[in-house]
Amino acid sequence: MFKRVPGTKDILPSESSLWQKIEEITRNTFRLYNFQEIRTPLIEEESLFNRSLGKATEIVQKQMFIIKNKEDNYCLRPEATASVVRAYIENNIDKTSTFSKFYYIGPMFRLERPQKGRLRQFHHIGCEVIGSSEPALDAEVISLADTLLRDFSISGYKIKINSLGCSLDKKRLGAILQKALKEKLGKLCANCKNRFKGNPLRILDCKNGPCREEIAGLDIRDEHLCQDCKDHFTKVKASLDSLNVSYENSPRLVRGLDYYTGTVFEISHDGLGAQDALGAGGRYNNLVKELGGSDLGAIGFAFGVERLLLVQSPQATVRSNDLVYLISLGEEAKEEGIKILNTLRKNNIAADTDYEGKSLKGAMRLANDLKAKFVLIIGEDELKKGVVTLKNMRSGEQKEIKQDKLIEELKC
Ligand code: HAM
């Protein structure tokens, strides 16, 4: 028997309605914020991610699904920010509108060790806004992430924010960390020892116990920020306050991807366990230019859909079902039943029937399992009278309806 690749999931019909619901809410909320959907390919050139995420990042070093060809190296996309920026530049979108708001829903691929909430194929709901460095935009994007979570009926999450500052500020933060950790280097894990020289910011992200202890002891504030970046971050926080978004200032928050500058944020949930990030994002003001486009500020975030589903409250999982289940008794009624089914569907009413030869009792039980809203029964009696028996499965009410009045009755 074949098995699915470790770290991948089959989304079976019992679960797919939850996914549809999440997607429906996503599309509606993004529409309210005037975002438009973008769909980029699942494969990209590997070098796109080396360049944007950074060669020293964990994703590029260890987690890329590489597809080697004779001439090129492609990969399965590990995230979509770089792809969206690539598409933005390649399709000259900046020539028609310098300010663009994109959202996306789709699979991402990372060669990780699978565990709860950590998959090799997982799904992002994300967005990217390109063309502005306004602090009010940072607040709108963070508040949009907050709104989406509420719309998904998720509570109990924490929004942590920080500012890494501009490129010079990031260098300064690196130097501050190197100075503070120099004496403690011996206590850090092998990975952090490697990070110390080339990528000291990533030490703050280490999940290793002893490293976490050393990090917790560091006095890190906002000394690395230049005045412009300080002012920007102050305005972001003021806008978040006026939008009533609750957040925690988290000076140790850095992100695992090199493209971030300025505001960064992460949304965590205790219900997730070790992999506690529901989503994350931030500004990447240099990326558009670095990938060959204009000098434009940009910001975005992404949620992991599988993680959203792990913490969603059960009430969100109850899906209303307007299915009409038709039970026809006898050969003649069956023929008439097929015509009725056809009419219902043409009138935009979801309808189904039994193709397994079930008894009336068995078919009723199935209708119940399917959570059908109505059952329609048609047998010899009904045929003679030109009616159907309509049972409302929620109220239990049962009545005979003339066939030509059926659609009207079901629609009201
Ligand atoms: P990221 O933090 O790498 O950011 O991923 C965002 C979210 O995807 C995580 O918070 C987590 O919920 C989910 N996720 C990541 N890896 C896995 C995995 N292996 N299995 C399940 N879920 C996972 C980004 O990818 C950025 N592109 C976000 C962004 C958009 N920044 C700016 N714009």
Side-chain angles (χ1 to χ4, degrees):
M1 189 177 49
F2 291 108
K3 293 204 162 167
R4 64 193 146 74
V5 170
T8 64
K9 269 189 73 175
D10 296 311
I11 301 166
L12 300 173
S14 55
E15 230 190 326
S16 61
S17 63
L18 294 180
W19 283 74
Q20 286 166 7
K21 184 93 192 163
I22 290 262
E23 287 164 10
E24 196 183 303
I25 294 169
T26 300
R27 291 181 196 289
N28 190 46
T29 306
F30 276 120
R31 185 183 58 79
L32 295 177
Y33 281 75
N34 196 29
F35 278 71
Q36 286 180 314
E37 189 182 8
I38 185 163
R39 300 186 192 195
T40 59
L42 303 194
I43 48 173
E44 293 277 1
E45 285 192 22
E46 181 196 0
S47 53
L48 171 68
F49 299 103
N50 297 348
R51 186 77 186 273
S52 53
L53 310 189
K55 276 199 181 131
T57 57
E58 217 155 317
I59 296 183
V60 167
Q61 293 223 323
K62 299 187 197 151
Q63 299 172 353
M64 299 279 270
F65 274 96
I66 312 284
I67 304 164
K68 279 194 191 296
N69 287 330
K70 271 196 192 123
E71 285 147 35
D72 311 290
N73 277 359
Y74 298 151
C75 70
L76 296 179
R77 61 180 188 189
E79 59 107 57
T81 309
S83 305
V84 171
V85 173
R86 194 250 331 120
Y88 176 81
I89 300 166
E90 187 177 351
N91 294 290
N92 294 315
I93 299 177
D94 58 334
K95 306 289 183 298
T96 48
S97 57
T98 46
F99 183 66
S100 306
K101 296 163 108 175
F102 305 102
Y103 81 90
Y104 47 86
I105 306 174
M108 307 292 154
F109 305 85
R110 295 184 194 175
L111 195 52
E112 304 204 65
R113 201 147 33 90
Q115 65 179 83
K116 183 187 167 196
R118 191 163 75 184
L119 294 149
R120 289 179 172 171
Q121 178 177 332
F122 58 99
H123 295 75
H124 268 173
I125 283 173
C127 66
E128 314 296 342
V129 185
I130 304 177
S132 166
S133 298
E134 285 283 311
L137 177 63
D138 305 29
E140 175 171 293
V141 166
I142 297 170
S143 138
L144 163 59
D146 187 37
T147 304
L148 271 168
L149 289 175
R150 283 166 203 268
D151 291 349
F152 296 147
S153 304
I154 291 174
S155 56
Y157 54 88
K158 208 185 284 168
I159 304 178
K160 290 176 276 182
I161 65 168
N162 189 23
S163 175
L164 300 175
C166 54
S167 305
L168 277 178
D169 294 351
K170 280 172 74 178
K171 280 202 183 115
R172 240 191 314 267
L173 179 58
I176 291 173
L177 284 173
Q178 280 167 331
K179 198 171 162 205
L181 287 168
K182 205 169 161 194
E183 305 299 317
K184 300 172 177 170
L185 207 53
K187 295 182 184 159
L188 302 184
C189 70
N191 273 343
C192 284
K193 281 185 186 128
N194 283 335
R195 289 166 181 151
F196 183 77
K197 258 200 171 161
N199 208 350
L201 266 61
R202 294 282 290 121
I203 297 177
L204 292 180
D205 225 10
C206 185
K207 302 281 182 272
N208 246 307
C211 297
R212 295 232 58 81
E213 257 175 48
E214 294 308 323
I215 294 158
L218 298 177
D219 180 25
I220 304 170
R221 292 181 214 170
D222 64 354
E223 304 94 322
H224 62 289
L225 294 181
C226 63
Q227 197 55 48
D228 279 355
C229 289
K230 247 182 211 161
D231 292 346
H232 181 100
F233 196 43
T234 306
K235 286 181 189 158
V236 173
K237 287 185 277 188
S239 288
L240 285 173
D241 291 337
S242 70
L243 289 168
N244 280 325
V245 176
S246 307
Y247 60 87
E248 207 174 83
N249 199 15
S250 182
R252 285 178 184 74
L253 175 69
V254 285
R255 303 274 304 118
L257 312 170
D258 280 2
Y259 54 59
Y260 288 112
T261 55
T263 312
V264 287
F265 60 100
E266 198 166 279
I267 305 179
S268 60
H269 197 293
D270 287 342
L272 284 174
Q275 304 296 318
D276 70 346
L278 277 178
R283 275 208 165 271
Y284 47 94
N285 286 347
N286 300 330
L287 188 60
V288 183
K289 191 159 180 224
E290 264 167 28
L291 295 183
S294 319
D295 190 3
L296 294 168
I299 182 167
F301 68 79
F303 285 124
V305 181
E306 288 78 2
R307 296 192 190 176
L308 295 176
L309 291 171
L310 283 173
V311 297
Q312 199 177 38
S313 79
Q315 109 213 9
T317 64
V318 179
R319 202 177 155 78
S320 68
N321 187 350
D322 289 340
L323 184 72
V324 175
Y325 197 79
L326 181 116
I327 302 174
S328 35
L329 305 166
E331 278 313 305
E332 240 181 287
K334 256 197 182 103
E335 253 172 59
E336 191 59 31
I338 287 170
K339 284 191 224 152
I340 296 174
L341 269 186
N342 204 22
T343 311
L344 292 174
R345 290 165 178 162
K346 276 196 176 143
N347 280 279
N348 216 16
I349 296 169
D352 206 355
T353 193
D354 163 44
Y355 289 106
E356 296 171 282
K358 285 193 188 298
S359 64
L360 175 61
K361 205 168 149 196
M364 281 303 283
R365 202 177 304 131
L366 183 59
N368 207 32
D369 291 348
L370 289 169
K371 300 195 170 48
K373 189 172 177 189
F374 294 103
V375 164
L376 277 184
I377 301 169
I378 178 159
E380 269 178 37
D381 263 10
E382 283 87 356
L383 267 184
K384 268 187 219 144
K385 291 196 248 170
V387 298
V388 286
T389 300
L390 177 71
K391 176 165 182 172
N392 185 324
M393 297 293 277
R394 312 267 151 88
S395 66
E397 185 199 353
Q398 189 165 313
K399 57 185 174 188
E400 284 188 348
I401 305 280
K402 282 260 173 231
Q403 273 200 35
D404 55 0
K405 294 273 180 281
L406 181 62
I407 301 297
E408 212 177 293
E409 174 75 22
L410 289 172
K411 283 203 160 170
C412 70

